[in-house]
Amino acid sequence: MTKFSIAIHGGAGTLVKGMMTPELELQYKEALTCALNAGYQLLEAGKSAIDAVEEAVKILEDSHLFNAGKGSVFTANETHEMDASIMDGKTLNAGAVSLISGIKNPVSLARDVMEKSEHVFLAGDGAMQFAKVHDYILEEDAYFYDDFRHKQWLDIKDTDSFQLDHATKKDSKFGTVGAVACDQNGDIAAATSTGGMTNKKWGRVGDSPMIGSGNYANNKTCAISCTGSGEFFIRGVVAYDVACLMEHKAMTLEGASNEVIHKRILEIGGDGGLIAVDAEGNIAMPFNTEGMYRASKTSNGEQAVSIYK
Ligand code: ASP
């Protein structure tokens, strides 16, 4: 049997250790462990990598701690606009949604786009109509309200600045969530979900729903989910760049992931990290920020849940 494995993230950023209380740290670690184990149990039961990444991301979306689903940040209009994507490395099928609101689990809508439409990427009103056709129940605004997120927004509302959860403010909570997995058949998949940036406007879309930038999976190389300053990750086509280094330069998963996060994205000014698996169940989780909420588990019995370096 192939080694199977899963890795998840809850955002990378400028984590200042002193800002984190032991209670909060515990809450983050518990949420990560819960999502990790839910995905791992599916893999253990012989389910597909795509099922495992969707399940893990759904659990992270249901937590107010992360900037995705329930915990999404506020836009300039005091609303929530969420983005998500999912990709199957076996078939190269992919689905993505952007600028959606009221949907409890954007990752599931992305999966439905992949499986129930002829398209890859649906955005805004059209994506919401698609959700309606597929009987999604919309949550009230109150479901997505979080005091801390609201305060983050109040601090910069009516200004031109928009805040990446993890860059400017040292006490900021962050971030985007994602999962990558390799199942017992050696098939791999990736999923990513986010609320984007606080005070974003003009229909700003980051890297998370963009196949090849914030999310990518191909059995031949790797499955990747990114977190960080989306504009740079789009310009660096980061997730696909890791796959390209593996395919065309014969680099290892670890080598290619490090090259992109510690060199190529830094060279254009980007900060963040990614999680990666290959079809042999290897895992890499590099980041160039002070920390990244992350966790991983393999069928060899290795398990890790960490925040800092
Ligand atoms: N990459 C996300 C975006 O730019 C943000 C994040 O990773 O927290 O929308």
Side-chain angles (χ1 to χ4, degrees), residues 11-29:
T14 318
L15 288 139
V16 176
K17 204 157 187 184
M19 297 285 184
M20 177 71 85
T21 63
E23 294 76 28
L24 199 55
E25 189 165 334
L26 192 67
Q27 278 183 39
Y28 276 109
K29 287 190 169 166

Side-chain angles (χ1 to χ4, degrees), residues 67 164 166 175-176 194 196-197 204 206-208 226-231:
N67 173 20
L164 186 67
H166 29 247
T176 292
T194 189
M197 293 162 101
R204 182 265 181 190
D207 60 314
S208 308
C226 299
T227 171
S229 41
E231 279 65 12

Side-chain angles (χ1 to χ4, degrees), residues 27-289:
Q27 278 183 39
Y28 276 109
K29 287 190 169 166
E30 278 174 3
L32 288 168
T33 306
C34 176
L36 183 74
N37 285 337
Y40 186 83
Q41 275 161 19
L42 291 181
L43 296 174
E44 203 169 31
K47 300 276 189 204
S48 65
I50 201 92
D51 284 341
V53 294
E54 182 189 5
E55 184 61 22
V57 166
K58 274 171 75 176
I59 290 175
L60 295 170
E61 286 175 339
D62 290 346
S63 165
H64 71 99
L65 293 170
F66 305 103
N67 173 20
K70 186 173 177 55
S72 292
V73 296
F74 284 86
T75 67
N77 295 328
E78 206 177 0
T79 58
H80 298 95
E81 288 174 353
M82 299 172 287
D83 305 331
S85 62
I86 192 162
M87 186 160 182
D88 184 342
K90 181 185 176 187
T91 58
L92 300 189
N93 281 338
V97 289
S98 184
L99 304 171
I100 57 163
S101 52
I103 304 287
K104 185 168 183 266
N105 293 115
V107 70
S108 298
L109 188 59
R111 184 166 180 181
D112 279 340
V113 171
M114 174 171 86
E115 291 176 350
K116 299 178 183 166
S117 85
E118 298 299 309
H119 308 295
V120 169
F121 200 162
L122 302 181
D125 289 346
M128 294 306 294
Q129 280 166 30
F130 176 81
K132 203 170 159 201
V133 168
H134 291 281
D135 298 326
Y136 277 75
I137 294 162
L138 297 192
E139 300 293 335
E140 301 284 327
D141 287 349
Y143 173 79
F144 299 95
Y145 183 87
D146 178 75
D147 256 346
F148 187 95
R149 298 275 182 230
H150 196 243
K151 197 183 157 297
Q152 270 185 325
W153 173 72
L154 286 175
D155 283 350
I156 55 170
K157 85 180 183 88
D158 300 329
T159 71
D160 274 340
S161 57
F162 49 91
Q163 185 180 305
L164 186 67
D165 241 6
H166 29 247
T168 29
K169 294 196 121 193
K170 299 241 171 205
D171 60 348
S172 291
K173 282 207 291 185
F174 40 91
T176 292
V177 306
V180 293
C182 172
D183 64 28
Q184 294 189 23
N185 295 322
D187 293 325
I188 59 177
T192 307
S193 180
T194 189
M197 293 162 101
T198 298
N199 211 37
K200 64 182 180 178
K201 54 186 172 190
W202 300 316
R204 182 265 181 190
V205 178
D207 60 314
S208 308
M210 291 189 193
I211 300 302
S213 293
N215 199 71
Y216 185 71
N218 184 339
N219 275 7
K220 278 204 308 204
T221 50
C222 56
I224 306 278
S225 171
C226 299
T227 171
S229 41
E231 279 65 12
F232 294 93
F233 278 67
I234 293 171
R235 289 164 52 204
V237 201
V238 165
Y240 189 61
D241 202 19
V242 176
C244 283
L245 289 173
M246 292 177 72
E247 186 169 354
H248 304 300
K249 279 192 146 184
M251 290 177 84
T252 61
L253 182 79
E254 177 101 22
S257 302
N258 282 336
E259 167 82 11
V260 170
I261 291 300
H262 294 299
K263 189 155 177 281
R264 294 162 85 108
I265 192 76
L266 275 182
E267 278 168 5
I268 60 168
D271 61 338
L274 60 80
I275 52 172
V277 295
D278 63 19
E280 287 171 0
N282 297 311
I283 291 176
M285 302 194 282
F287 52 96
N288 61 32
T289 47

